[in-house]
Amino acid sequence: MTRDRRSANPTRARRWLRTMRARDPREAHRAATPLELLFDLCFVVAVAQAAAQLHHHVTEAHLGVGLLGYAMVFFTIWWAWMNFTWFASAYDTDDVAYRLLTLLQMAGALVLAAGVPAAATSYDLTVITIGYVVMRVALVAQWLRVARQDATGRPAGIRYAVGIMVVQAGWLVRLALPHPWDYTGLAVLVIAELLVPMWAEFRGTATSWHPGHISERYGLFTIIVLGEVIFASLTSIQSALSEHGVSGQMLLIAAGGLILVFTMWWIYFMGPDAALSTPRIALLWGYAHYLLFAAVAALGAGLQVAVDVAVHRAHVAATTATFAVAVPLAGFLLVMCWLRRLTHTGLAHPSLMVTGAVIVLVLALATPVLGVGGVILSIGIAAAATLTAALVATHRDGVPHPPPEAR
């Protein structure tokens, strides 16, 4: 009886479980889906947790512990997000099975976020590993669907499924390793994670990700992380104002922070979309965003440290607070310079970004003279001046365009 109903209405069955087929990489008007945006929101919770822990450690003068924990935690967040994003760009069937497996990955992301404080403070990766494995098992199920249903993508699907499962087994084994072998295991597993896409994509037919869709997804996640910076900074400023009232230093930090967020947004979206013309360029471009996303979130933590120093509730020197803003900004500018050169888009004189990075680092040294607020505002003005110079130079010399085959 049930079999007869399904055969009588095949279109209804297809809505519940569609055949996993690669989407056309030349598909017009390809945009991020509401499900992808909801997925991003789960990850920004984890990003916020990582930035909060970095803020706490820097404020308490535990810089080494904080940076190592932040880099370690942020990798797991970024890598899980990146793997889903590229898979969805190639194989978004949007059927019930796809949505439920995505929901499972979102649940894993929230478990991962819950484990961030323990990982960032004591390097206890137990909860993070559980959340991470949940996410990766769901992705393995997606790749196995590809291997079964898409003849063209079968080789890559099998390689991805096998590679991910082997590495995830390694993450579970790492939990049992004694110290310091657990650190060695972590380094080995990070390298192994990065190698899986290289092995899967370059040993046969590459997956048919959509260049425009990938560029949009990364841009949207950049905006979300910038939004987290605004929210974290606003929360910190509100807390300081409720305890100490309005001060000149606080106003300068708020103004400088706003200029920084707006300038970073403009620099990222200046010029045409990235020309991801080859799998090699796309892989390098995608990997480099780990540094870019981490720098943006770390700048938010730095602004919070600056607020704490301004109201005398931090245990670090004022210069440390300004460097906590200047270093992430300099890193952002340098990564953006490299990304634009890699994809040949949107920047006439990359040296301007390098010069801007040097200037903001030098300005941090002026903290004893200008104070924390004065330096933060000066760094914001320097970043805006860097953007202005880049816009003028690009307009004067013409924006470099990608080759025809890349568009």
Side-chain angles (χ1 to χ4, degrees):
M1 185 93 174
T2 303
R3 184 176 63 243
D4 292 340
R5 281 202 302 268
R6 287 179 179 174
S7 60
N9 192 359
T11 57
R12 181 178 179 181
R14 281 199 295 269
R15 284 200 299 268
W16 285 90
L17 187 63
R18 298 187 178 114
T19 301
M20 186 71 79
R21 290 282 186 266
R23 297 185 64 160
D24 185 357
R26 297 175 298 277
E27 180 182 342
H29 310 297
R30 179 72 188 278
T33 66
L35 181 61
E36 288 175 320
L37 299 179
L38 181 62
F39 183 86
D40 288 356
L41 290 179
C42 290
F43 271 83
V44 81
V45 172
V47 170
Q49 288 289 312
Q53 291 302 312
L54 178 61
H55 160 231
H56 170 74
H57 284 297
V58 175
T59 302
E60 297 298 321
H62 301 150
L63 187 59
V65 173
L67 288 176
L68 180 59
Y70 179 73
M72 179 175 61
V73 168
F74 207 94
F75 174 82
T76 61
I77 298 169
W78 161 78
W79 188 245
W81 177 87
M82 178 173 167
N83 276 250
F84 168 81
T85 296
W86 288 77
F87 176 86
S89 187
Y91 294 99
D92 181 5
T93 57
D94 198 32
D95 58 2
V96 172
Y98 178 88
R99 290 188 175 193
L100 291 178
L101 287 171
T102 302
L103 173 63
L104 185 58
Q105 293 183 72
M106 291 162 59
L110 295 176
V111 173
L112 187 152
V116 166
T121 302
S122 58
Y123 305 144
D124 181 359
L125 295 182
T126 303
V127 177
I128 273 192
T129 300
I130 293 171
Y132 189 65
V133 170
V134 168
M135 297 170 63
R136 304 296 274 161
V137 167
L139 187 60
V140 166
Q142 297 279 40
W143 281 117
L144 289 175
R145 289 187 67 192
V146 172
R148 180 183 177 187
Q149 299 175 359
D150 184 21
T152 303
R154 182 171 294 119
I158 293 174
R159 290 193 185 96
Y160 269 114
V162 171
I164 293 172
M165 285 190 292
V166 170
V167 177
Q168 296 325 294
W171 283 106
L172 293 174
V173 170
R174 181 204 164 276
L175 293 177
L177 293 177
H179 185 73
W181 291 106
D182 54 344
Y183 286 179
T184 303
L186 176 65
V188 171
L189 289 168
V190 166
I191 295 172
E193 290 278 17
L194 295 173
L195 290 177
V196 168
M198 299 180 186
W199 176 57
E201 296 283 347
F202 298 118
R203 290 295 299 272
T205 303
T207 53
S208 58
W209 42 268
H210 192 289
H213 177 249
I214 287 293
S215 181
E216 182 193 27
R217 294 289 290 114
Y218 274 74
L220 289 173
F221 198 72
T222 301
I223 292 175
I224 290 176
V225 178
L226 284 170
E228 189 279 326
V229 172
I230 294 173
F231 178 76
S233 302
L234 177 62
T235 301
S236 186
I237 290 173
Q238 282 181 328
S239 175
L241 290 177
S242 65
E243 295 178 11
H244 304 277
V246 179
S247 68
Q249 288 290 308
M250 202 63 59
L251 293 176
L252 293 176
I253 292 172
L258 181 60
I259 293 172
L260 284 171
V261 170
F262 189 73
T263 300
M264 293 168 76
W265 167 82
W266 198 329
I267 289 173
Y268 186 89
F269 290 99
M270 183 174 63
D273 291 340
L276 307 180
S277 53
T278 67
R280 173 185 168 275
I281 288 177
L283 196 66
L284 292 173
W285 184 87
Y287 280 8
H289 272 74
Y290 164 71
L291 299 174
L292 190 140
F293 291 153
V296 173
L299 184 134
L303 288 172
Q304 290 182 286
V305 174
V307 171
D308 289 342
V309 168
V311 296
H312 309 290
R313 62 183 182 192
H315 299 92
V316 293
T319 302
T320 301
T322 53
F323 269 107
V325 174
V327 171
L329 176 61
F332 172 86
L333 293 173
L334 294 176
V335 173
M336 282 305 307
C337 174
W338 188 80
L339 288 175
R340 292 298 186 182
R341 287 181 62 85
L342 176 69
T343 57
H344 308 290
T345 51
L347 196 61
H349 294 281
S351 60
L352 291 173
M353 293 293 174
V354 178
T355 303
V358 173
I359 290 173
V360 299
L361 291 173
V362 171
L363 283 172
L365 296 173
T367 306
V369 178
L370 300 177
V372 174
V375 169
I376 299 300
L377 179 59
S378 298
I379 289 175
I381 293 172
T386 301
L387 168 64
T388 302
L391 289 172
V392 170
T394 300
H395 177 74
R396 183 188 62 205
D397 298 345
V399 176
H401 290 286
E405 65 272 13
R407 282 185 258 167

